[in-house]
Every structure is written in C-alpha cells, then in structure tokens.
Amino acid sequence: MRVVSDLIFVTVISIVLYAFISIALKDWKNKKEKREIERDGVEVLGKITRSYTRSGGTSGVINVIIDFSYSAENGQVFKGKKEIAIKDICIDKYRVGEKLALRYARNDPSKVTHITDNPFC
C-alpha cells in the first residue's frame, strides 16, 4: 500500500511541476517576443474592426477584446485580436472604426503588440 501512495504522490508532484514549468516557459517566451518587437518593431496605425467587453469586476476596469487590421510596410494586410484591460471611462477609444497604435515585428509582421502611454486607458 505504501508503494501505491508513494507512486500517486510522485505523479501528482510531477504533474504540478510540469504545469508550472510549462507556464513559466510560455511566459518567458511571450515576454522575450514582446521585448524584441518593442526594440526593433515598426509602428503603424491599425483600425478596430470589432470590439466587445467583459466585466473586470467592480474595480472600474473592464476587459476589452478587440479585433483589428493593419497594413505592413510591404502592403500586406494583417488581422489580429487582443484583450486589453482599461478603465471604463476610456471605452470610447476602443470602438469599431477607431485607430489603434500598434507595433509589429520587422521580420514577422504577424507578431504585433499594442502601444499605449497609459496602461489602463
């Protein structure tokens, strides 16, 4: 019986460690990609093509999910989707048809990040 309980314990610990390491590696990769785009990216204005919100709770912050399109230097049009947490008083900046400051990777225009002066607006 002791062997079975030890085996279950090792299995659970292994699964938890695997999940933790997987999340940490994915986060590290995403941050590295974002730093590269910020360092050597191309700024462009995109256009919001779809926008919808999810409540952020009672804190005055809402989650806006936007679909957008933008043109790269080579004329190719790309589409993207981002979720942004903003203050509820800034919702008008994220309506369909509004312009959105973006930066995309010079070597891969499909990798894009949102540019903002205020992280919550």
Side-chain angles (χ1 to χ4, degrees):
M1 190 67 183
R2 173 103 173 129
V3 173
V4 173
S5 65
D6 286 347
L7 183 61
I8 291 172
F9 177 75
V10 169
T11 303
V12 169
I13 295 298
S14 297
I15 291 170
V16 169
L17 283 174
Y18 175 78
F20 178 74
I21 291 170
S22 296
I23 291 169
L25 286 175
K26 186 175 180 179
D27 186 52
W28 175 79
K29 180 183 171 192
N30 289 341
K31 285 181 181 179
K32 180 182 175 196
E33 186 176 285
K34 187 173 181 179
R35 281 192 307 269
E36 289 174 3
I37 293 171
E38 289 173 352
R39 188 185 78 245
D40 188 35
V42 178
E43 290 187 25
V44 67
L45 280 179
K47 183 177 180 181
I48 298 174
T49 57
R50 184 173 179 222
S51 175
Y52 51 99
T53 62
R54 288 189 309 121
S55 174
T58 59
S59 62
V61 175
I62 57 175
N63 297 313
V64 178
I65 301 159
I66 55 172
D67 293 343
F68 55 88
S69 63
Y70 62 98
S71 295
E73 289 177 325
N74 61 9
Q76 194 174 6
V77 176
F78 290 90
K79 294 182 179 185
K81 185 176 196 169
K82 293 285 180 185
E83 183 171 352
I84 306 168
I86 63 167
K87 291 183 181 177
D88 55 2
I89 60 172
C90 300
I91 190 67
D92 290 338
K93 293 182 181 180
Y94 296 95
R95 300 270 182 223
V96 172
E98 292 293 321
K99 299 293 183 190
L100 182 67
L102 302 168
R103 181 178 284 139
Y104 65 84
R106 190 174 305 278
N107 58 351
D108 185 0
S110 65
K111 295 179 181 174
V112 66
T113 186
H114 172 241
I115 302 172
T116 181
D117 297 332
N118 183 346
F120 285 112
C121 201

